[in-house]
Amino acid sequence: MSAGKILVVDDDPQIRRVMRTSLVGHKYEVIEARNGEDALTRVSAEIPDLVLLDMNMPGIDGLETCKQLRSGSDVPVIILSVRNSEKDKVAALDAGADDYITKPFGMEELLARIRAALRRAPTSPEGGPHAITTPDLAIDFDTRRIRVHGQEKRLTPKEFDLLRYLVSQAGKPVPHRELLQAVWGPDYGDEPEYLRVFINQLRKKIEPNPAKPKYILTEPWVGYRFAAV
Amino acid sequence: MTGRIRRSLRLIASPLLIALVIAFYFRAVHVNNTTVALTLLLVIFGISAAWGLLEASIASLAAVLGFNYFFLPPVGSFTIQDPQNWVALTAFLITAILANQLSARAKRRTQEAVERRREVEGLYALSQSLLLSESVRTASQDLVTRIVKILGVTAAAFFSNLTQETFRWGATESPISDAQLETRIEEPVIDRARQCAIVPVRLGGQALGNLGLTGALPSEAVLNAVAYLVAIGIERARTLETASHAEALRQSEHLKSALLDSLAHDFKTPLTSIKAAASSLLGQPRPDADRELITIIDEEADRLNRLVAEVLEMVRIEAGKLHLEKGPLDIASTVRSTLAEIKPALQGRVVDVRLQDGLPAADADSDFVQQALRQILDNALKYSRPGSPITISARAGDGRVIVSVADRGGGIEEHEQLQIFDKFFRGREHRFRTPGTGMGLAIAKGIVEAHGGKIWVTSEPGQGSVFSFSLPVHRGEIVL
């Protein structure tokens, strides 16, 4: 039984080779693509559980591939890049990536991030609601569906998990670190830029006025809070 | 000379033509007097139109005399019996004058039209040629040359306010001096007696210079048009010059960045495979000897990666390619994340952090400041005994935030304290004992200086060293 199907997208054949060997050794099924176009075809044809996407590729680059991919798929995407500035990380997350890892990386770290990306919080966290409904927002946590003004919206799995965790703690400020660990996993906690980007995207999707959020509120210096409804 | 001879010939030819007509009607063909008179009128008309008033007047006189003598009764005498003949004479003269005036006017019009056409053609040629020059200097030189050629003046000079130079072409002796040309004027100064003119060259209220012309001057309207064309030509050249300069600069900057990016990519890609392969092997159960060897590969891949990163960083700093994204920077959190980052290298050493209360935010790029701090901490760790304490402190003063890292290492001798921030410099004692590239402190210095700050060291050999750097305080609203 495979632990999941992973699409490795990189123009460097040696990197694809070492990834294939290592990931297969950890019971993952591996498919490969050597460029962005190839990756998009493979995603729609083979429906992988996760995409490892190189940022710097000839032709359409990783960011553009990620954006195009997001228009039709919620598959978790981890961007691999030699750049490690915060600006590059934010750009990758903004393009729809779920995580970002700097090359070169240790395999243990990559495996941990793959597990985190594939991990789904249980459908309803303990004590959390199964659904909430307000005049303009309806979230069904069991079916992972969300409607804003009656219109169905797509959330990526990480966006959905983030929203669900905030809602399960509705009315309470959730610190950055707690939120990162609840959604991404125990190895996370020092990536406040992840939260900035994902909260921003969530607000764009569910808030009537994203500039003046009424559901997802910022708690300065602490974290975020979902307004009790 | 030939003109005068031709004139004399025409003066003789006019009465001869009249004589010919009279001889023809008197000897060869006999017709009535009216026909003779009309024929003479036509000839006078023709002479007047073709040659001029004087020729026509002489012809008129000859015609009156001849007509009177040979055709009017009493034939063979100059007496005029019939007053009608006075009328004929007057008619001849009036015809001559009228015809002459008409033709002179027509000629003048034609002449004017030709001149206008020449001027317009000249202006057009000038405008065309001015569009070819690509820099202000070549445009200025070109335009004086072309003005002389196209307008047919003897000399042209242009003083450019932009380059503060005078460009001249044509006759070397010019009545227009440099000082005259350089004086700012509002209206054209035209001296037709001395055949010279100075016209201000302006565009949209901006004075670009003065244009001086000597020789056969065109009309004032044309002079103004020329000045306007010159202004457009110069302005166009200037725009082109600035644009191409900016473009060249942009392209070379872009090339540098692209080159650095591709270098980083090309170095790090093979390292990624090595690191991934080694760490993957380490993740599985192995015999001890294998594990030891693979660990060496893994660690050395890390070391190579750090080296590549440092070399590229140094190249970036030296190429002036640090893209700082400055903002309010909280020193406390920078210190915290830097310590978290180098935790493995600390190997349990105690770092004492003492930050002044109410420390203002620095105006800096957090990634880069963290990198500089890391380099300084790395340095302190490397050059002090394991287990010896390290202190990080920060205080504000004089519009700056000053961060210091103190160690209890061997210290730095005075003569080495200045060199220590130089690229590739290694202390005498440590050259072969302590690993490193000698780039760490040079990178820290490059980063701090790119922020407009300073870096320095105070040290007492045997007691330890204190490395400090200053950053400007962030002014304005602090955004959280």
Side-chain angles (χ1 to χ4, degrees), chain A residues 44-74:
Chain A
S44 50
E46 313 218 14
I47 315 177
D49 299 307
L50 179 100
V51 178
L52 295 177
L53 183 59
D54 181 31
M55 180 107 111
N56 192 336
M57 290 185 292
I60 56 171
D61 66 2
L63 287 187
E64 189 52 40
T65 309
C66 191
K67 278 181 206 156
Q68 293 192 18
L69 202 148
R70 273 285 165 263
S71 64
S73 164
D74 304 338

Side-chain angles (χ1 to χ4, degrees), chain A residues 28-108:
Chain A
Y28 290 104
E29 188 188 333
V30 174
I31 50 175
E32 295 174 21
R34 60 175 67 191
N35 57 45
E37 290 90 341
D38 203 5
L40 292 170
T41 337
R42 297 227 122 195
V43 166
S44 50
E46 313 218 14
I47 315 177
D49 299 307
L50 179 100
V51 178
L52 295 177
L53 183 59
D54 181 31
M55 180 107 111
N56 192 336
M57 290 185 292
I60 56 171
D61 66 2
L63 287 187
E64 189 52 40
T65 309
C66 191
K67 278 181 206 156
Q68 293 192 18
L69 202 148
R70 273 285 165 263
S71 64
S73 164
D74 304 338
V75 62
V77 174
I78 301 177
I79 292 265
L80 315 180
S81 169
V82 296
R83 300 190 199 179
N84 67 348
S85 78
E86 188 178 319
K87 193 177 68 185
D88 290 308
K89 289 179 192 168
V90 169
L93 300 174
D94 266 337
D98 294 78
D99 205 349
Y100 185 102
I101 186 164
T102 310
K103 287 178 173 180
F105 44 80
M107 197 46 79
E108 288 306 316

Side-chain angles (χ1 to χ4, degrees), chain B residues 143-144 147 156-159 176 181 197-201 209-213 223 226-227 230:
Chain B
L143 72 92
V144 287
I147 284 172
F158 176 65
F159 172 74
I176 300 172
L181 204 58
I198 302 179
V199 195
V201 174
N210 290 330
L211 180 68
L213 298 177
L223 280 177
V226 168
V230 167

